[in-house]
Amino acid sequence: MTKYIFVTGGVLSSLGKGITAASVGALLNHSGRHIGMLKIDPYINVDPGTMSPLEHGEVFVTKDGAETDLDIGNYERFLDTSYLKTSNFTTGQVYSSVIERERAGGYLGQTIQVIPHIVGEIVDRIKKAGKGHDILIVELGGTVGDIEGQPFLEAVRQMKHDDEVAGTFFIHVTLIPYIKAAGEHKSKPTQHSVQELRRIGITPQMIIARSEGSLPKTFKKKLALSCDVTQDSVIEALDAPTIYAVPMSFLQQNILAPIAKELELGEIAPDMQEWDSLVKKIVAPTKLVTIGFVGKYLQLKESYKSLIEALIHSGAHLDTKVNICWVDSEDIETRGAESLLNDCDAVLVAGGFGSRGVEGKIQAIEYARVNKVPYLGICLGMQLTLVEYARNVLGHEDANSIEFDTETTHPMVYLIDNFINQSGNSELRTHQSPMGGTLRLGEYPCETKEGSHLREAYDGVEVIHERHRHRYEANPTYRAELEQAGMVVTGESHGLIEAVEVIDHPWFLGVQFHPEFTSRLQTPNPAILSFVKASLAHAENS
Ligand code: GLN
């Protein structure tokens, strides 16, 4: 039977509940326990797939093709584990399945209500996510007191008494403000949010106190008394130099002791040696490299969360600080690529949707190709390498992706309307297809070409597996023409073009997949690691 740790948030949002949950997970995982992770999002969207990255940050993609909250990415990066669809659900999903069952006559004769039906569905989903794990860590999105969050709190309260539940532990993450004029930390907001939880019937057993500065011992004692937790269950969470330092800071405060006691976990001693040495390399690296990151969602850097983290992972393994030089692709259109990318050791063009900034990205690619600067293009960043090559090398002036120009006479990137999806079924995709759930999503195999940078990056592995999130594909009609002119296909998946490289270039790779989704602190993604290595080599030679 599974034990459950519930992580709730109080006072305000953005306190780092996800990092808290992931950090506790990492410590337990490194103690040899089998840990599951679940994020519950109280919003009504069925999944975040159709939300703007500027609204919600990055949409993370799981191995089995679910579009999820970006916290699932944190879980995978911290626990070095691939989680599945079951690791994230929303209010929208809960209501959809209850309504579907009602229409199918599944509740014949009953009035469908929040309690017991919606709450029951939530409990079922949590238990399903917990199956097969020693402990499931459940992060409840939002802040205690939100209207949308009520059914979820009611559900987890009920689980305390569930026969199929081997134990529960409640962690509450709150903010401790420091009032300068009074020279004091304040516990009142935390007390209020704990009271709000108690009103529902949940008494948190641990308080994670987010604070800018260290909390005096007397204050922690007061907090423990007023929130009804033991003193060793008040854990300080100060602003950290890197998110990966958080598990180490929790460990120093002996966070596992009260958890192990309550959940009867026995002897618990996480082996965090490798983790710690990687954190030290992130905090004080000896080398430096600057990568020009060309994108269009720069107002909210969370839009590129996994990619930013992947660069940090590779940097940690290469004892290098990867300095990101943010370049807005629309600025390139007005100021030119040279002036904005001149100081960079490498160029990275990230994925994206829609035509804004596309021409700027094409200029960035041309700059990297012509000046022999290491280049990595991801998803849209690969598709546009074909467009750039077609326009500037093959001389097809109006070459484009049909995503941006449906009239182009040289559709380098097009829509295959019929494709075999992950489950082996044929799926139809047209311009009229609804936006939700019509992308090529999740993990697909990719055959690498012998002698390519791609094969070399993956240590000679012939078939690699990476994740996808896109609607359009590289057009194979142009393959021979491109290859004759020096742009070679070096990755293929069931006949689809997965990767291209420019032969006459030190390191130029475009990949249709998103390598960043499989990068973890302890196992950085090989393509990104190889790219950072090439960038370092370029920096040293120039
Ligand atoms: N817009 C492109 C497509 O849908 C690329 C998507 C992406 O970069 N994730 O195919």
Side-chain angles (χ1 to χ4, degrees):
M1 274 208 302
T2 309
K3 296 171 182 174
Y4 294 83
I5 296 176
F6 298 107
V7 182
T8 53
V11 182
L12 43 84
S13 59
S14 304
L15 288 181
K17 255 188 323 214
I19 298 300
T20 299
S23 297
V24 173
L27 292 172
L28 289 167
N29 194 46
H30 281 87
S31 315
R33 306 305 197 274
H34 191 219
I35 307 301
M37 299 292 300
L38 168 64
K39 170 79 190 285
I40 302 181
D41 284 305
Y43 50 72
I44 316 291
N45 305 54
V46 169
D47 62 43
T50 52
M51 282 192 217
S52 158
L54 292 173
E55 170 90 13
H56 189 263
E58 166 187 280
V59 175
F60 189 73
V61 178
T62 58
K63 186 178 158 146
D64 60 343
E67 295 179 285
T68 72
D69 185 78
L70 53 74
D71 269 323
I72 312 306
N74 283 323
Y75 304 159
E76 294 204 350
R77 291 187 279 274
F78 275 65
L79 284 95
D80 205 347
T81 305
S82 294
Y83 290 106
L84 300 176
K85 275 191 174 77
T86 42
S87 280
N88 186 205
F89 67 84
T90 67
T91 294
Q93 282 173 34
V94 171
Y95 273 81
S96 296
S97 34
V98 170
I99 290 170
E100 206 175 296
R101 198 174 309 137
E102 186 272 332
R103 291 290 84 186
Y107 304 100
L108 229 47
Q110 292 177 40
T111 307
I112 311 306
Q113 293 176 302
V114 173
I115 300 175
H117 303 101
I118 295 295
V119 166
E121 172 69 23
I122 294 169
V123 172
D124 287 349
R125 282 174 176 258
I126 297 176
K127 286 203 248 175
K128 192 170 162 206
K131 257 205 184 95
H133 297 106
D134 298 330
I135 302 168
L136 180 74
I137 301 181
V138 184
E139 177 193 349
L140 282 92
T143 308
V144 169
D146 294 347
I147 289 179
E148 300 93 337
Q150 301 279 337
F152 299 103
L153 290 171
E154 172 61 17
V156 302
R157 182 195 65 75
Q158 290 185 4
M159 286 182 70
K160 285 196 293 189
H161 311 293
D162 196 306
D163 287 345
E164 293 170 23
V165 171
T168 55
F169 191 86
F170 289 85
I171 298 178
H172 192 50
V173 184
T174 79
L175 176 74
I176 306 294
Y178 180 76
I179 306 296
K180 267 206 196 106
E184 272 180 355
H185 288 96
K186 291 292 179 189
S187 67
K188 198 64 80 191
T190 301
Q191 289 184 40
H192 281 164
S193 77
V194 168
Q195 275 163 17
E196 183 67 22
L197 268 177
R198 284 213 210 108
R199 204 174 56 78
I200 303 159
I202 295 169
T203 303
Q205 288 131 305
M206 177 175 279
I207 302 291
I208 305 276
R210 286 282 285 120
S211 158
E212 269 176 45
S214 191
L215 300 172
K217 229 177 166 169
T218 47
F219 179 84
K220 285 201 216 166
K221 198 169 164 187
K222 178 178 160 194
L223 201 63
L225 285 174
S226 60
C227 296
D228 196 21
V229 299
T230 56
Q231 273 185 52
D232 64 350
S233 297
V234 174
I235 305 292
E236 209 173 66
L238 306 182
D239 294 347
T242 156
I243 50 172
Y244 302 103
V246 176
M248 301 313 297
S249 152
F250 283 179
L251 188 63
Q252 277 151 16
Q253 299 177 71
N254 222 351
I255 191 173
L256 294 185
I259 299 176
K261 191 171 161 208
E262 181 66 32
L263 291 180
E264 297 174 355
L265 300 179
E267 197 56 38
I268 200 147
D271 176 6
M272 298 295 285
Q273 234 176 332
E274 190 200 1
W275 185 282
D276 194 33
S277 73
L278 289 168
V279 170
K280 289 198 174 108
K281 295 241 171 69
I282 296 176
V283 178
T286 58
K287 290 174 270 182
L288 174 75
V289 73
T290 298
I291 290 180
F293 190 122
V294 182
K296 71 165 180 177
Y297 307 113
L298 303 188
Q299 302 95 304
L300 186 69
K301 303 286 189 315
E302 293 271 283
S303 314
Y304 299 111
K305 182 79 186 149
S306 293
L307 195 42
I308 297 170
E309 294 306 320
L311 291 170
I312 293 173
H313 304 158
S314 287
H317 285 261
L318 297 169
D319 192 15
T320 299
K321 170 161 176 60
V322 179
N323 179 32
I324 297 180
C325 170
W326 295 100
V327 180
D328 190 320
S329 45
E330 283 182 298
D331 287 348
I332 297 183
E333 289 166 15
T334 50
R335 293 169 53 195
E338 170 89 41
S339 69
L340 291 165
L341 293 167
N342 201 15
D343 294 334
C344 301
D345 303 312
V347 175
L348 172 61
V349 173
F353 292 82
S355 60
R356 189 169 61 81
V358 158
E359 292 302 320
K361 288 184 178 177
I362 294 175
Q363 287 177 42
I365 295 166
E366 181 182 10
Y367 169 85
R369 182 178 59 77
V370 171
N371 294 290
K372 305 220 180 318
V373 176
Y375 174 79
L376 177 62
I378 295 177
C379 208
L380 181 61
M382 173 194 110
Q383 296 175 352
L384 296 179
T385 60
L386 273 74
V387 173
E388 190 277 328
Y389 216 76
R391 286 186 192 176
N392 299 328
V393 181
L394 304 181
H396 301 318
E397 269 172 39
D398 80 331
N400 214 328
S401 160
I402 61 148
E403 179 178 5
F404 313 119
D405 178 7
T406 45
E407 307 292 308
T408 173
T409 56
H410 292 95
M412 304 305 293
V413 180
Y414 73 148
L415 201 61
I416 48 163
D417 52 11
N418 202 340
F419 75 111
I420 305 296
N421 71 14
Q422 258 210 334
S423 354
N425 299 323
S426 164
E427 207 171 286
L428 202 64
R429 226 172 6 176
T430 73
H431 271 304
Q432 277 79 41
S433 296
M435 287 303 230
T438 56
L439 298 172
R440 181 170 174 233
L441 287 167
E443 184 182 283
Y444 286 87
C446 164
E447 291 161 34
T448 60
K449 186 181 163 81
E450 202 183 336
S452 63
H453 284 307
L454 185 67
R455 166 95 48 109
E456 188 194 323
Y458 286 79
D459 273 338
V461 176
E462 282 169 36
V463 180
I464 59 171
H465 294 83
E466 292 290 359
R467 300 183 197 172
H468 292 250
R469 182 171 186 256
H470 58 104
R471 185 168 285 117
Y472 299 87
E473 304 286 349
N475 188 347
T477 314
Y478 292 94
R479 180 173 176 163
E481 200 183 342
L482 284 167
E483 294 203 323
Q484 265 158 25
M487 175 174 267
V488 181
V489 173
T490 60
E492 282 180 72
S493 182
H494 304 309
L496 296 175
I497 296 174
E498 284 282 294
V500 291
E501 294 181 31
V502 169
I503 293 301
D504 181 24
H505 193 286
W507 208 94
F508 186 106
L509 172 67
V511 287
Q512 184 60 75
F513 53 78
H514 285 271
E516 68 272 26
F517 289 144
T518 54
S519 186
R520 286 93 190 253
L521 177 61
Q522 290 172 284
T523 48
N525 176 275
I528 293 170
L529 184 69
S530 192
F531 170 60
V532 177
K533 265 191 209 158
S535 316
L536 262 174
H538 182 77
E540 278 159 17
N541 293 336
S542 56

